[in-house]
Amino acid sequence: MTQPELAVDLCGVRLSNPLILAAGILGTGADLLERVAKAGAGAVTTKSCGPEPRAGHPNPTVLDWGHGLINAIGLANPGVEEMVTILKDAKDRLEPLAVPLIASIFAERVEGFAEVAHRVSKAEPDFIEINISCPNVAAEFGRPFSADPDSAAAVTMAVKGMTHLPVIVKLSPNVTDIATIARAVETAGADAIAAINTVAGMVIDVDCGQPILANRVGGLSGPAIRPIAVRCVYEIYQAVEIPIIGLGGVVDGRDAVEMILAGATAVGVGSVAYYRGVDAFREIAQEIASFMIEHGHKTLADFKGIAHEEWPAPAN
Ligand SMILES: Cc1cc2nc3c(=O)[nH]c(=O)nc-3n(C[C@H](O)[C@H](O)[C@H](O)COP(=O)(O)O)c2cc1C
C-alpha cells in the first residue's frame, strides 16, 4: 500500500502532518522552535506572550505527579516587544522547512489582547492563538476569559479587528458547557478552536501537609487528562463548523487518532516532549501512518469525526 497522506489544511495553511507543538512547551526561543520543526512537527506554537515582560510564579512550578504533569509557570514571558524579534527570527528559520508558526498571546484585559495581536501580526506568523484559558493566572474580573461565552467572544472580536491573520481561540476544560463557549467564539469570528488548555488541579505533599506548587493550584496536562480533552473535542465538533485542534494528553499515534475520531483536524502535543523527547513528533506521525495503513485510510479526512456516527444495530 502507498504511504497514507498526513498533510492537513488548517484555515488555508498547509501542515505536512497534523501534529502541532502546543503553546508553552519549548516555544520560548526561535532555536527551540526550529529544533521541534526539524524533529517533524507539522506546525509550532510559541510560549504565550503578553503586553509586558512577566516573571511568572516562584518555584516549584512544574511537577510530574505520576499520571501527568501539574504546572503553574504563571505565563512567564519576555513581553511582546521581545517576542516580535523572536517571531521574526523563528519565521526566517521555519520558512525553508515549510513549518507554519503560531504566535500564542494573552493579556489581562480585552484591550491588551487587541494591542498584542496588532504588534505580533507585524512579524507575520501564520496564525495567532489567543490563550484565554490559563488556569493559573487571573484575568479581568479575577477569572479567565474562557469562563463564559460573552467574555470569550469579546476577546475574539477585539483580536479579529486587529489582525489579518487567522485566529485560533484556545478554550478551557474548566467550564460546565464548553460547546456554548465554542459557539460564541465562532460567532465572534474565530477561525479555529484549540481545546484544551490544562485542567485546574492541586497536589498536596502529605508529609508536610502543603500544596507542592508555590502557586498552590496548577494546571494538569499529560496522559491523565486525555479523556477530558477527547470529550471536549467531541462536544465542540457537534457545536461548530470551524476546525478544531485537539490537545491534551496525546503521547502516541493512537492517542492522536482518538482526537481525530472525535473531530479534530489537527492535534496538539505538549507534555509528550517531557515523556518522549522531541523525537516524539516524527515517531507519532509514523504511528498515525501505521494506524491508517492497518485500517485502510488514505487521508486523515477518511476517519475525522467518525466517532459521531453511530453504528447500525447488529442484525439478529
Ligand atoms: C509547562 C507548561 C506550560 C504551558 N504554557 C502554556 C502557555 O504558555 N500557553 C498556553 O496556551 N498553554 C500552555 N500550556 C498548556 C499546553 O499548551 C496544553 O494545552 C496542555 O498542556 C495540554 O496538552 P498536553 O497534555 O499535550 O501537554 C502549558 C502546559 C505546560 C505543561
Side-chain angles (χ1 to χ4, degrees):
M1 186 183 177
T2 51
Q3 198 64 4
E5 178 57 83
L6 289 186
V8 288
D9 178 295
L10 186 65
C11 309
V13 179
R14 183 184 188 274
L15 278 58
S16 64
N17 72 64
L19 302 175
I20 301 179
L21 174 72
I25 319 280
L26 298 173
T28 47
D31 49 346
L32 282 171
L33 291 163
E34 182 185 12
R35 191 170 149 215
V36 176
K38 285 185 169 161
V44 292
T45 313
T46 65
K47 173 79 190 162
S48 298
C49 121
E52 303 296 336
R54 186 181 168 110
H57 296 311
N59 282 322
T61 52
V62 187
L63 170 78
D64 177 350
W65 57 280
H67 305 282
L69 306 180
I70 184 165
N71 92 83
I73 306 274
L75 293 174
N77 79 96
V80 66
E81 196 172 322
E82 172 70 18
M83 186 50 88
V84 168
T85 309
I86 294 172
L87 285 168
K88 285 182 178 160
D89 186 7
K91 185 83 190 146
D92 288 345
R93 293 166 184 249
L94 297 175
E95 236 157 28
L97 304 170
V99 174
L101 175 62
I102 303 171
S104 171
I105 66 167
F106 78 93
E108 288 171 22
R109 311 190 69 80
V110 174
E111 309 79 59
F113 271 100
E115 183 208 327
V116 179
H118 177 65
R119 293 176 67 181
V120 153
S121 298
K122 293 190 175 144
E124 293 292 337
D126 297 280
F127 298 87
I128 290 186
E129 181 172 282
I130 55 180
N131 175 9
I132 56 171
S133 48
C134 181
N136 313 314
V137 175
E140 218 163 32
F141 316 121
R143 55 192 195 144
F145 291 98
S146 58
D148 79 74
D150 292 343
S151 56
V155 176
T156 308
M157 221 178 280
V159 169
K160 280 295 288 182
M162 282 298 195
T163 184
H164 58 287
L165 299 168
V167 171
I168 303 164
V169 182
K170 185 157 179 189
L171 298 186
S172 169
N174 306 313
V175 294
T176 313
D177 181 6
I178 198 165
T180 301
I181 294 165
R183 220 175 283 121
V185 302
E186 180 181 54
T187 305
D191 297 285
I193 287 171
I196 56 175
N197 209 318
T198 53
V199 180
M202 179 183 282
V203 175
I204 295 174
D205 180 330
V206 294
D207 294 311
C208 77
Q210 282 291 301
I212 294 179
L213 297 181
N215 189 53
R216 304 179 88 82
V217 298
L220 305 176
S221 61
I225 70 166
R226 199 179 71 253
I228 299 171
V230 170
R231 186 265 301 167
C232 288
V233 170
Y234 187 95
E235 289 179 359
I236 295 167
Y237 185 74
Q238 292 185 329
V240 302
E241 300 291 325
I242 54 179
I244 304 164
I245 300 167
L247 78 167
V250 171
V251 297
D252 63 27
R254 291 182 73 86
D255 297 344
V257 166
E258 199 181 347
M259 286 292 181
I260 297 167
L261 291 168
T265 295
V267 179
V269 284
S271 303
V272 73
Y274 169 84
Y275 292 101
R276 294 181 63 173
V278 288
D279 290 339
F281 286 93
R282 195 155 282 122
E283 291 164 9
I284 296 175
Q286 191 48 55
E287 289 159 10
I288 298 172
S290 301
F291 167 88
M292 290 169 71
I293 292 168
E294 201 182 312
H295 289 261
H297 297 310
K298 292 191 177 64
T299 69
L300 299 171
D302 289 353
F303 59 100
K304 180 178 143 187
I306 64 170
H308 295 263
E309 296 164 17
E310 283 191 35
W311 284 6
N316 289 326

